[in-house]
Amino acid sequence: MFERLREDIQSVFDRDPAARTTFEVLSTYPGLHAVLAHRVSHGLWKRNLKWLGRVVSNIARWLTGVEIHPGATIGRRFFIDHGMGVVIGETAVIGDDCTLYHGVTLGGTSWEKGKRHPTLGNDVVVGAGAKVLGPITVGDGARIGSNAVVVKPVPSNATVVGIPGRLVERRSPRDTAHREKLAQKMGFDAYGATEDAPDPVANAINCMLDHVHVLETKMSRMCEVLKSMGYTDEEVDLPELASCEIVSTADELNRLEEGERGEERPGKIQEK
């Protein structure tokens, strides 16, 4: 018992830079209090003292703002940061070294008996306000971004953001260095305020724009070859397809504007 308590306290120090002393953690961290109370209520639940387990769980809910059903199964070194508004359903299963932030719901989507809540693997982080719903599995090392709504299984080591939850995939080598940098910086943020965090929808549209730009270049070359072979057709003036990109953050827009200004050579006459 004391070994588990030491692990829980150490997990707070490992994941919360605001933690200063053991006494402070034991006396002021509602997430830790909720986990300790759940250990008691879960033990009562397994001994078929279900009403008493619910009473302990309900008292902990009043005191901490965290509602953990006594039937939920929770692994070692589980940490709830801030805690307020966290709800964990009866058939939820949480692995070792997982972290939940405030406002997280591990809920069900059905009124039927049986498994109806999520299963989290080891080392899973669920950001503030996220909702993971239904009997789905979130793989080891996965990250659920702030306010995401996840209703489908998540593979291991993936990051999910948005409503509904979408996987944020690593950029391929053929993408521009700018977008690769954004994808790497995206990572995961518990509060949905990651610097330079791109919009997955904007990324998808940008990929299509890049594809159209490549097709336009190839078509232009094909037309030149056909003209050299004597083919003639009515000339149609098309607007020039310059490099374009949908920006999703103010920093991206500023960088693009700075890049455009940097391309202006000294002494170049600007049209007015």
Side-chain angles (χ1 to χ4, degrees):
M1 180 179 68
F2 290 104
E3 180 184 356
R4 294 286 294 270
L5 180 59
R6 283 195 295 269
E7 285 184 348
D8 292 334
I9 295 173
Q10 185 59 45
S11 68
V12 175
F13 285 109
D14 292 340
R15 301 176 218 175
D16 186 2
R20 293 176 294 183
T21 66
T22 299
F23 178 74
E24 180 185 48
V25 170
L26 279 172
S27 59
T28 65
Y29 273 68
L32 177 61
H33 301 158
V35 172
L36 296 178
H38 173 72
R39 297 245 177 84
V40 176
S41 65
H42 187 63
L44 295 170
W45 184 270
K46 290 195 298 183
R47 289 169 175 80
N48 207 32
L49 300 173
K50 299 188 184 302
W51 178 85
L52 190 56
R54 291 299 298 267
V55 170
V56 173
S57 174
N58 208 33
I59 293 174
R61 176 174 177 260
W62 291 343
L63 296 175
T64 66
V66 178
E67 181 174 346
I68 307 177
H69 194 285
T73 302
I74 296 178
R76 303 172 75 98
R77 297 174 296 280
F78 176 54
F79 177 49
I80 303 176
D81 199 359
H82 300 293
M84 184 61 68
V86 170
V87 177
I88 300 175
E90 176 186 3
T91 61
V93 178
I94 300 175
D96 297 335
D97 301 298
C98 291
T99 303
L100 268 59
Y101 288 81
H102 54 277
V104 168
T105 298
L106 303 183
T109 57
S110 171
W111 290 347
E112 297 179 0
K113 300 289 186 179
K115 177 67 172 170
R116 59 189 185 280
H117 297 96
T119 296
L120 307 187
N122 298 326
D123 191 31
V124 173
V125 180
V126 185
K131 316 300 177 189
V132 185
L133 307 176
I136 62 175
T137 299
V138 179
D140 295 346
R143 300 293 184 265
I144 309 298
S146 177
N147 293 319
V149 177
V150 182
V151 294
K152 294 182 179 180
V154 178
S156 299
N157 301 313
T159 298
V160 176
V161 298
I163 304 174
R166 297 184 179 90
L167 293 177
V168 178
E169 299 178 349
R170 181 179 294 275
R171 296 279 135 210
S172 61
R174 61 183 177 83
D175 290 321
T176 63
H178 171 62
R179 294 200 191 143
E180 177 67 23
K181 186 177 180 180
L182 287 179
Q184 292 176 354
K185 293 181 82 172
M186 177 60 188
F188 168 80
D189 182 78
Y191 298 100
T194 303
E195 182 182 1
D196 300 332
D199 181 356
V201 176
N203 283 338
I205 296 176
N206 287 331
C207 290
M208 289 190 291
L209 291 174
D210 290 343
H211 188 69
V212 170
H213 191 275
V214 172
L215 288 178
E216 175 68 16
T217 302
K218 289 186 176 181
M219 288 297 297
S220 298
R221 293 175 181 173
M222 290 174 61
C223 290
E224 291 175 2
V225 172
L226 288 174
K227 288 180 181 179
S228 67
M229 298 174 61
Y231 175 79
T232 58
D233 193 6
E234 180 181 357
E235 293 288 342
V236 178
D237 294 330
L238 296 176
E240 181 180 357
L241 185 61
S243 177
C244 53
E245 181 173 2
I246 295 177
V247 295
S248 56
T249 66
D251 287 340
E252 288 181 59
L253 181 59
N254 291 335
R255 275 198 302 275
L256 288 176
E257 292 177 349
E258 290 174 0
E260 291 175 356
R261 286 197 295 269
E263 291 176 356
E264 297 175 359
R265 294 182 176 85
K268 182 179 179 181
I269 299 176
Q270 301 294 327
E271 295 182 359
K272 296 183 179 180

